Amino acid sequence: TATTTRPRRVLLKLSGEVFGGGKVGVDADVVSDAARQIAEAVRQGVQVAVVVGGGNFFRGADLSTRGMDRARADYMGMLGTVMNALALQDFIEKAGVPARVQSAIAMTQVAEPYIPLRAIRHMEKGRVVVFGAGAGLPYFSTDTVSAQRALETHCDELLVGKNGVDGVYTADPRKDPSAELLETLTYERALNDGLQVLDASAFAMSRDNGLSMRVFGMGEPGNITRALLGEKIGTLVTR
Ligand code: UDP
C-alpha cells in the first residue's frame, strides 16, 4: 500500500447550537474560542474545513409547522448558516489564520461560491474554508452537507462537535444514568438504533462512501484542537 505524505485534512461540523451558545444569534465568546482552537490546529499543520449549521437562527422544518412554505423557510435556514460562517471566519482571522467562506447560494460580496478544487487549494495554503448555506437545497441538512463536503474535498475524517455530551452513548445520558459512552460504533448500528447524533442521510452517505466520523464533546476546553489533531476522544463511527 502506498504511503501518503499529505498532511491530515479534516472537516469539522459545528451546529448552530454551538454558535448561539444555546440562544438565538451569535455568542461572540463561544465563536472566538472555537476559532482559536481551529487556528491552533492549523498552526500545527492540519488542513481544516468547517461546515456550519444554522439552528441558532432558523430551522426550516420548524417554520413550516407554523405555516411557512417549507422550501422558503429552508432558504431562511441556509441564510442563517452564512451569518455563522461570517462570524467564524472573522474570529479565525483574528486568531491569526486566514479563512475563506464558500457559500452554496451566490452572494459574492460576502462569500466565494462553492468551488471544491479552490477549497482544497485554500486548505493546502493553510487557509480554513468555512462552508455556508448548506447544500443550497431545501430539504437538506447541514449534517448531510458535512459528509458530502468531506467526501468531495477528500477529507480524512468528519469531526462532529457536540454540546453537553462526550460522544455517542448507549442511551441518552441526560435521561438514562446507566448510559455508557461508546468508543466505537458502526453506521449500521447508529442507523438501526436511531441514534440522533447526525441525521440518517449523513450516516448513510458516510457509510456508503467509507468516510469515518468522530463525535466528540466540546465541553472540555481544547477538545476541538484535540479532535482536529487526531486524538482519539469521543466516539469513532465507521463502516
Ligand atoms: N438547510 C437547508 N438545506 C441545506 C442546509 C440547511 O434547507 O442544505 C436549512 C434547513 O431549514 C435547516 C437550516 O437550514 O433547518 C439550518 O441548518 P441545520 O438545521 O442543519 O443546522 P444545525 O442543526 O446544524 O444547527
Side-chain angles (χ1 to χ4, degrees), residues 45-143:
V46 183
Q47 298 181 2
V48 181
V50 187
V51 166
V52 296
N56 54 320
F57 289 112
F58 306 106
R59 284 211 168 82
D62 295 346
L63 289 172
S64 73
T65 64
R66 309 281 310 276
M68 271 197 79
D69 173 68
R70 171 66 191 261
R72 190 172 284 125
D74 275 340
Y75 283 115
M76 288 177 65
M78 289 182 252
L79 294 177
T81 72
V82 178
M83 291 192 269
N84 289 334
L86 294 177
L88 186 63
Q89 175 189 34
D90 195 72
F91 282 112
I92 290 171
E93 297 210 317
K94 294 227 160 51
V97 166
R100 299 288 185 270
V101 175
Q102 290 199 346
S103 171
I105 294 174
M107 45 179 102
T108 48
Q109 283 89 344
V110 295
E112 297 177 1
Y114 175 55
I115 302 175
L117 288 177
R118 184 189 273 190
I120 290 170
R121 187 83 189 116
H122 286 323
M123 288 191 268
E124 288 171 346
K125 292 226 164 190
R127 302 176 193 130
V128 176
V129 184
V130 185
F131 294 121
L137 299 169
Y139 300 99
F140 278 69
S141 73
T142 56
D143 284 352

Side-chain angles (χ1 to χ4, degrees), residues 13 143 160-162 165 167-169 185 190 194-199 203 213-216 237:
K13 161 74 206 276
D143 284 352
V160 182
K162 286 277 155 190
V165 290
V168 185
Y169 290 74
L185 173 71
L195 297 175
Q196 303 285 320
V197 186
L198 286 187
D199 60 37
F203 279 139
M213 183 187 295
R214 185 171 291 281
V215 182
F216 67 97
V237 196

Side-chain angles (χ1 to χ4, degrees), residues 4-19:
T4 172
T5 52
R6 173 159 89 60
R8 174 173 163 81
R9 182 184 300 159
V10 289
L11 190 136
L12 174 67
K13 161 74 206 276
L14 294 176
S15 70
E17 201 187 7
V18 174
F19 285 84

